[in-house]
């Protein structure tokens, strides 16, 4: 049975072959994850957050040496490199918000808060 991956936000779910890395899965789902190193654990641009209920990132292979070296303590916060983490079971992954979108969202929230005071 093929494992299922869900990408948040947007809640896009798809089935992939076991062993597919998250970067490949995202591309299959037409979700853009930036990269500069071609998926070689070199650029750190493909960081994603893996949701888990019990502290262990279920559904993914454990981090390899390169990923551990690059991410260090971020691994404990559920951060993984999409190019290195392979899907082996059901997984839910959060993509970081685009910095420009985040700035606009914060500005709109501040504006709404200000408007509600009147
Ligand atoms: S694509 Fe560069 S670290 Fe993953």
């Amino acid at each position: 049975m093929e494992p299922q991956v869900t990408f948040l936000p947007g809640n896009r779910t798809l089935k992939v072959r076991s062993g597919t890395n998250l970067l490949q899965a995202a591309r299959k789902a037409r979700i853009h994850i930036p990269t500069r190193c071609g998926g070689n654990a070199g650029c750190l641009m493909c960081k994603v957050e893996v949701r888990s209920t019990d502290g262990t990132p279920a559904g993914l292979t454990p981090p390899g040496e390169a990923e551990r070296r690059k991410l260090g303590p971020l691994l404990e916060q559920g951060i993984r490199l999409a190019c290195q983490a392979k899907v082996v079971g059901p997984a839910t992954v959060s993509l970081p918000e685009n910095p420009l979108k985040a700035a606009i969202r914060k500005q709109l929230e501040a504006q709404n808060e200000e408007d509600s005071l009147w």
Side-chain angles (χ1 to χ4, degrees):
M1 193 167 138
E2 294 180 320
Q4 194 167 291
V5 188
T6 300
F7 289 97
L8 303 172
N11 217 22
R12 269 200 239 166
T13 300
L14 75 154
K15 287 183 177 176
V16 295
R17 266 198 301 198
S18 186
T20 302
N21 71 39
L22 289 173
L23 189 59
Q24 295 165 327
R27 286 180 178 156
K28 191 175 172 192
R30 297 179 185 261
I31 293 170
H32 176 70
I33 295 180
T35 76
R36 276 209 187 123
C37 70
N40 293 311
C43 67
L44 301 181
M45 292 182 72
C46 67
K47 285 185 280 194
V48 295
E49 184 181 346
V50 178
R51 300 272 169 106
S52 70
T53 50
D54 60 358
T56 55
L60 299 175
T61 52
E65 178 57 34
E67 194 178 5
R68 271 200 301 268
R69 199 170 355 101
K70 289 288 181 181
L71 290 177
L74 289 175
L75 279 168
E76 290 162 23
Q77 297 168 30
I79 305 297
R80 297 291 305 268
L81 294 178
C83 67
Q84 301 298 306
K86 294 184 175 105
V87 182
V88 291
T92 301
V93 177
S94 285
L95 303 172
E97 191 173 24
N98 173 314
L100 179 60
K101 279 187 184 174
I104 292 169
R105 182 182 47 73
K106 279 183 190 165
Q107 198 157 6
L108 287 173
E109 284 171 2
Q111 182 69 44
N112 285 342
E113 210 169 281
E114 203 171 285
D115 289 347
S116 69
L117 295 176
W118 291 95

